[in-house]
Amino acid sequence: MAPTLNPEAAPVLLETRGLSVNFNGFQALSDISLSIRQGELRVIIGPNGAGKTTFMDLITAKARPSAGQVLFEGQDITGKSAAEIARRYKIGRKFQGPNVFDNMTVAENIELAIAGYESLPQSLFFRASAAFRHRVTEILEQIELADYRDFMATDLSHGQRQWLEIGMVFAQDPKLIILDEPTSGMTADETKKTGEMIKKLKGEHTILVVEHDMDFVRQVADYVTVFNFGKLLVEGTLEAVQQNPEVQAVYLKEAD
Amino acid sequence: MPRLKKVRQLPLNRWIDLALFLFLLSFPTWQNTYWVYIMSGIMAYMIFALSLDLLWGYTGLMSMGHSVLFGSGGYMIGIASAWANQADWIKFDQLPWFLALLSSPLGAFLAALLLPGLIALFIGLFMFSGKIRGVFFSLITLALAGIAELFVINQSRYTHGDSGITVTSRTLFSNADSQRLTDQQFYFVVLAFLLGSYLLCLWLVNTRTGKVLQGIRENESRLTYLGYKPAAFKLFIFVLSGMMAGLAGMLFVRVQGSINHSSIGINLATLVLVWVAVGGRGNLTGALIGTLLLQFSETKLNSVFSGISADFAQYWKLVLGLLLLLIVFVIPRGLIGVLLDYQQSRQDRDRKAAIMQKEVNRHGANP
């Protein structure tokens, strides 16, 4: 097992203060304050409709909070555009359900995701260097798709498409990696491989994962946050959280 | 050997492009002047179809009023020529300030490129900053084609209204009556522009920008979360496509020797959609082949059937409509699309076999 980082030692990378959002009268999230330290792998769990995905939407500017702040490296990023959050603050997100460029090859998907050439002139006069091509191959090997580089993304299996999107997030070289249900629809074998992919990044990258699959959570997580009905229920190590009677009542029982 | 492998991996349609250009290059040597003249017009239309393929096939922006850009380029040359030759319907002594550029031949050439570019810029700024996309983009462009048609009919002071403008100078720059290239000579002018436009498109779609454009077509919001700003790319391709359409319009007017409102309106806007849809979107070849096939058959069939019925043009539209329906239902990716799908599936089969073989070898090595 990778050495666990002392959560108190590293500086805080992402912090939310009193984050709330209201969709036409429905309080999807209320008063979420949590912080994630550099190098941490944090898993958010909670039953359906607990507001996990909404929380990620607020961080990546897919939705706007009705109250509260998102701080990244101490800077307030609430209200910034999605492109700016991806490019300037380097937060990469994998969406729920594979969200890739279907009628483009696997390699093209990864190439587009590699950061640093997002403006029009940059992309117009871009020429792939040997280092760039090497990086593409490296990522493809990381997500076990090296043999599939010339396939269209649409022709991959569901699990492989999930990996492809995970690879796209790696390619962005983000400071914070957000993975929304990375193993949904995967076979047990694929789920295990995904867990290994993510564990390899532990320590070097800061990762925030939302997940339903408890086997997967046990495999990767050491620090867990539980959401329920849009509120932060409890935080702690996986062992401590599993012991918590409140958590057992709302979530773990029905998931297992 | 890797070079040879690269050639073999080349998409099939690039060979078709090569064959097509060789065919076009040799065409005047074995065809009479009439067909050389017809083919010049078709080649101008091919540039127009390429410009739509960049926008629709690659970027996923289905412009249903692309003729606005084609026609505005064409009308610039039309008005410049009418002015230079003092056509009898011209009632003004001086070009108004907004047409002043048309007094010089080079100015008219530039105006035919810049006006469509500017129109595309303004429409694009309005639509892409307002996040108008999908079917709304199509409907607004369609409406613009209708408006443009009425506009040129109503502005008869400058456009000669319903009757359109006759252009007698067939040269690259000059609008004066006296200078005129032969049909053969002008054929090669159009061919050179077609080749240039094709190479520009081929280069562009293979750059990273080209991939971003395809990314917009496939999944625009995903691009945003990768840090791109799709609006800038859409504006760029719309303006470039508009200028190419303007170039096509300018060449077409010089070949045809006239322009009227149907070249700026819904009629041509629909035709070009059919050419690209039948040939196949998003591979350049489809736009070229679709235009060639349909325009060639129209001319050929017209000459065959005109003896039987004077209303052939009406029936041809019916045939086109049925053909479009058939294509959409049977081969939605178009003729060239089917060919490319076939090549892709064969290559996939080989790759899958290679992957299986690799698995077998690995398990064989450590049982």
Side-chain angles (χ1 to χ4, degrees):
Chain A
M1 199 160 161
T4 37
L5 214 83
N6 178 3
E8 304 303 320
V12 171
L13 186 69
L14 177 82
E15 186 184 353
T16 63
R17 288 185 189 158
L19 213 53
S20 305
V21 69
N22 194 310
F23 295 127
N24 301 323
F26 171 69
Q27 192 73 27
L29 274 184
S30 38
D31 201 25
I32 302 283
S33 299
L34 62 78
S35 46
I36 293 167
R37 292 176 182 277
Q38 218 131 45
E40 194 180 332
L41 195 165
R42 174 73 62 93
V43 181
I44 298 180
I45 58 174
N48 279 328
K52 304 175 303 262
T53 297
T54 308
F55 179 66
M56 312 214 144
D57 287 349
L58 296 183
I59 299 174
T60 55
K62 198 177 177 211
R64 301 256 173 257
S66 20
Q69 280 180 309
V70 182
L71 297 158
F72 190 72
E73 294 185 307
Q75 286 170 291
D76 189 353
I77 61 165
T78 335
K80 304 274 187 200
S81 77
E84 206 179 351
I85 284 175
R87 175 155 60 163
R88 232 180 94 201
Y89 298 96
K90 291 188 159 291
I91 299 179
R93 176 178 182 185
K94 186 215 158 294
F95 288 81
Q96 212 172 359
N99 194 350
V100 296
F101 303 112
D102 277 339
N103 291 308
M104 295 173 77
T105 68
V106 169
E108 282 173 341
N109 269 271
I110 298 294
E111 281 164 11
L112 264 188
I114 288 183
Y117 316 97
E118 289 87 355
S119 80
L120 181 60
Q122 278 169 332
S123 72
L124 203 52
F125 301 107
F126 170 81
R127 289 193 68 87
S129 63
F132 181 89
R133 284 196 294 268
H134 178 74
R135 176 100 182 98
V136 173
T137 309
E138 200 178 67
I139 292 166
L140 288 175
E141 279 164 3
Q142 226 173 335
I143 55 171
E144 310 227 343
L145 290 178
D147 290 332
Y148 292 85
R149 62 180 307 146
D150 295 321
F151 280 82
M152 292 287 167
T154 184
D155 293 330
L156 298 180
S157 74
H158 183 81
Q160 286 173 322
R161 281 155 59 84
Q162 294 277 47
W163 285 343
L164 179 58
E165 203 189 353
I166 294 174
M168 285 163 75
V169 176
F170 292 169
Q172 280 179 270
D173 200 17
K175 288 179 181 163
L176 175 66
I177 295 176
I178 296 181
L179 303 171
D180 197 348
E181 300 205 9
T183 70
S184 78
M186 281 188 180
T187 63
D189 191 40
E190 285 173 332
T191 302
K192 197 150 169 270
K193 275 188 183 169
T194 310
E196 278 156 20
M197 276 175 208
I198 292 168
K199 273 166 79 174
K200 268 186 205 155
L201 298 175
K202 216 164 159 177
E204 297 167 45
H205 290 80
T206 314
I207 307 168
L208 179 62
V209 189
V210 161
E211 193 44 81
H212 261 309
D213 186 324
M214 284 312 290
D215 288 330
F216 176 80
V217 174
R218 281 188 204 101
Q219 189 190 353
V220 302
D222 21 62
Y223 209 74
V224 174
T225 301
V226 186
F227 278 24
N228 191 32
F229 289 121
K231 291 195 181 68
L232 199 159
L233 192 65
V234 65
E235 279 187 310
T237 60
L238 185 60
E239 292 79 23
V241 165
Q242 277 178 312
Q243 300 305 316
N244 187 312
E246 224 179 331
V247 174
Q248 286 176 354
V250 300
Y251 182 64
L252 292 174
K253 228 182 271 171
E254 57 175 306
D256 270 295
Chain B
M1 287 316 260
R3 198 166 286 255
L4 191 71
K5 198 179 159 203
K6 225 173 182 175
V7 170
R8 220 180 298 150
Q9 294 261 309
L10 213 66
L12 277 174
N13 58 326
R14 294 294 158 250
W15 297 108
I16 300 176
D17 295 348
L18 186 66
L20 176 68
F21 277 106
L22 289 175
F23 166 78
L24 289 175
L25 199 63
S26 70
F27 192 76
T29 61
W30 51 275
Q31 280 293 343
N32 61 31
T33 308
Y34 172 73
W35 280 103
V36 167
Y37 154 77
I38 292 292
M39 194 55 91
S40 304
I42 295 179
M43 288 194 301
Y45 275 152
M46 282 181 182
I47 298 178
F48 184 37
L50 280 179
S51 79
L52 182 70
D53 199 25
L54 284 182
L55 198 63
W56 183 26
Y58 282 90
T59 320
L61 294 166
M62 183 182 175
S63 167
M64 291 179 78
H66 219 44
S67 55
V68 173
L69 306 164
F70 177 94
S72 56
Y75 262 101
M76 286 297 103
I77 298 302
I79 298 169
S81 171
W83 171 255
N85 301 311
Q86 286 298 311
D88 54 9
W89 55 269
I90 297 250
K91 297 282 185 285
F92 44 89
D93 309 322
Q94 212 179 354
L95 280 169
W97 62 268
F98 52 87
L99 293 174
L101 208 52
L102 300 184
S103 57
S104 84
L106 189 62
F109 179 84
L110 287 177
L113 290 179
L114 291 180
L115 179 69
L118 274 177
I119 294 175
L121 182 71
F122 281 113
I123 302 173
L125 276 175
F126 159 70
M127 293 225 241
F128 303 142
S129 64
K131 300 212 161 48
I132 291 169
R133 54 176 82 152
V135 70
F136 296 102
F137 177 85
S138 303
L139 288 176
I140 290 174
T141 44
L142 178 67
L144 285 171
I147 293 167
E149 192 162 359
L150 286 178
F151 180 80
V152 296
I153 292 173
N154 286 329
Q155 296 299 311
S156 54
R157 187 175 155 83
Y158 302 114
T159 61
H160 203 206
D162 246 340
S163 332
I165 304 171
T166 309
V167 176
T168 43
S169 54
R170 185 177 293 151
T171 61
L172 185 48
F173 287 123
S174 168
N175 297 312
D177 222 354
S178 53
Q179 299 183 34
R180 205 177 152 89
L181 296 176
T182 66
D183 285 305
Q184 260 81 7
Q185 285 167 328
F186 201 69
Y187 177 92
F188 287 103
V189 170
V190 182
L191 180 59
F193 274 107
L194 173 62
L195 185 62
S197 306
Y198 166 77
L199 291 176
L200 177 73
C201 291
L202 190 61
W203 167 76
L204 183 73
V205 300
N206 284 304
T207 61
R208 192 178 169 92
T209 303
K211 306 293 174 196
V212 175
L213 296 175
Q214 291 173 54
I216 292 173
R217 178 191 69 197
E218 292 301 317
N219 197 339
E220 187 174 338
S221 78
R222 190 76 192 86
L223 270 184
T224 315
Y225 294 97
L226 292 174
Y228 293 91
K229 292 191 171 125
F233 287 86
K234 289 200 278 189
L235 197 58
F236 164 76
I237 199 64
F238 197 25
V239 170
L240 183 73
S241 168
M243 290 173 75
M244 251 176 84
L247 173 72
M250 161 162 59
L251 293 171
F252 184 79
V253 166
R254 293 216 191 270
V255 172
Q256 174 104 339
S258 69
I259 181 159
N260 65 27
H261 56 87
S262 74
S263 286
I264 204 168
I266 291 170
N267 193 4
L268 185 64
T270 318
L271 270 180
V272 69
L273 285 169
V274 178
W275 301 334
V276 177
V278 169
R281 277 165 288 152
N283 54 52
L284 302 179
T285 312
L288 298 174
I289 295 293
T291 310
L292 179 67
L293 231 54
L294 291 181
Q295 282 307 98
F296 188 82
S297 1
E298 177 176 358
T299 314
K300 198 80 192 166
L301 292 175
N302 207 350
S303 60
V304 172
F305 286 106
S306 56
I308 303 165
S309 162
D311 294 331
F312 173 78
Q314 301 304 317
Y315 294 122
W316 175 247
K317 274 178 194 153
L318 195 67
V319 172
L320 273 187
L322 289 174
L323 189 65
L324 181 65
L325 279 179
L326 198 72
I327 291 275
V328 167
F329 281 113
V330 183
I331 43 169
R333 301 238 303 133
L335 295 173
I336 302 296
V338 168
L339 203 65
L340 289 176
D341 281 349
Y342 172 72
Q343 190 188 23
Q344 173 86 21
S345 71
R346 280 195 58 153
Q347 286 175 345
D348 277 1
R349 210 182 51 202
D350 292 349
R351 288 189 201 110
K352 266 181 195 147
I355 293 168
M356 290 291 271
Q357 191 58 46
K358 224 167 139 182
E359 287 289 304
V360 169
N361 288 347
R362 203 170 54 197
H363 287 293
N366 31 314

